[in-house]
Amino acid sequence: MKGTKDMLDRYGRSIEYMRISITDRCNLRCIYCMPEGVDLVSMKDILTYEEICEICSAAAALGIRKLKITGGEPLARLGCADLIRSLKAIPGIEQVTMTTNGVLLGKCLSSLLDAGLDAVNVSLDTLNRERFSAITGRDELLSVLDSVERVLDSKLRLKINVVLQRGINDGEWYELASLARDRQMDVRFIELMPIGFGQKREGVANTELKERFRALHPDLQEDSSVHGNGPAVYLRIPGWTGSIGFISAMHGKFCGSCNRIRLTSQGRLKPCLCYGETANLMPILRGGPGGKPSEAMLRQAIEQAVYAKPEQHCFEEPDMITETGRMISIGG
Ligand code: SAM
Ligand code: SF4
């Protein structure tokens, strides 16, 4: 069912996309996201699947049409496919997609397809097995590559997300991009953001990366076709099957067309990635009479959070960043 309502924020932006961190657990330990030794939130403080569905129903009634399931690692939480099936059944929700590290994706793929998953992003920062272990703390590159092959065979829409870190995997930029040469997938470079453990690492500017691409491919073309719900800018290399995307929070402000809010694993609605302000939905979800949340109160809280959405992020002025949470709770 096509949603009929638009939820506009104060700046006239239509907010139709919600990212949901369904868990702060993960089966990898990426050095810029969830290094070894990170404390976990107690499961009782994490949204249940029923609570996520309550929030999504209220959000869909207001104009949210697209959902992204993320984490932590969404496939590390049991029953993820059942959640997707339930979300797809909510009136007004047109698309449910997922971002995963890919380790369990191959095994879960048939149940995810059966549940109606519309597309998947796989995060993959290196094609080198030793480097993969160094970045993620686990020797799982082969499982991820196997998952990628299975997704390609299934024809599910696939994007690869790459975060480059200087001196660690930035030398692999062209090899990683080349995954899109002959295969039906986009490869996207996400600039490392100074959120959570990302503050301690050094990323690579996408402006620099684009110059490297242009030097090798002077015939590079802008690709203005729609590839998804997000702020990525795409370039096409003539003759390549997939496109190269750039998500440039640090060096390419896209706030004018921002269409999203985020729901953290602990039930906080987050209007903008770089600010700590959130609307806590837990008291509404767990404090109602008989424990039943009021949909009217959820809608009101969502509208207020959208109203509070700032005009733009402040990543270029690090002193103004007020987000102190971790990416595993926020969902990236
Ligand atoms: N575990 C899943 C995965 O890795 O795709 C989903 C959660 S993960 C937090 C979502 C995305 O956020 C991943 O592509 C990851 O590389 C990215 N990410 C994590 N920390 C980041 C940071 N500080 N800056 C930019 N991207 C980050
Ligand atoms: Fe886990 Fe994804 Fe974070 Fe890596 S980026 S630690 S896979 S949540």
Side-chain angles (χ1 to χ4, degrees), residues 19 26 32-33 70-74 99-101 123 125 161 163 190-193 195 198 327-328 331-332:
R19 296 176 65 91
C26 188
Y32 57 88
C33 179
T70 170
E73 173 48 36
T99 294
T100 167
N101 61 32
S123 302
D125 294 346
N161 286 343
V163 173
I190 302 178
E191 284 185 338
L192 184 78
M193 290 175 278
I195 298 286
M327 275 300 198
I328 45 175

Side-chain angles (χ1 to χ4, degrees), residues 33 40 85 110 120 148 177 181 196 208 229-230 234 243 248 282 301:
C33 179
L40 295 174
R85 189 186 308 282
S110 63
V120 70
V148 166
R181 187 195 300 261
E208 176 185 330
N229 305 312
Y234 286 91
S243 295
S248 313
M282 278 301 197

Side-chain angles (χ1 to χ4, degrees), residues 159 188-189 223 225 227 229-234 244-248 254 260:
K159 292 179 189 143
R188 311 182 319 160
F189 292 93
D223 176 0
S225 61
H227 287 246
N229 305 312
V233 170
Y234 286 91
I244 308 300
F246 299 87
I247 301 181
S248 313
F254 39 66
R260 64 193 54 199

Side-chain angles (χ1 to χ4, degrees), residues 26-69:
C26 188
N27 46 359
L28 297 184
R29 289 291 180 274
C30 301
I31 45 181
Y32 57 88
C33 179
M34 186 189 190
E36 302 285 358
V38 164
D39 294 334
L40 295 174
V41 174
S42 161
M43 274 314 281
K44 71 174 172 32
D45 296 325
I46 300 283
L47 288 172
T48 65
Y49 284 160
E50 291 71 24
E51 288 168 339
I52 291 173
C53 289
E54 300 273 8
I55 296 169
C56 290
S57 295
L62 291 169
I64 293 291
R65 291 168 194 152
K66 295 167 183 172
L67 302 173
K68 172 83 75 197
I69 305 303

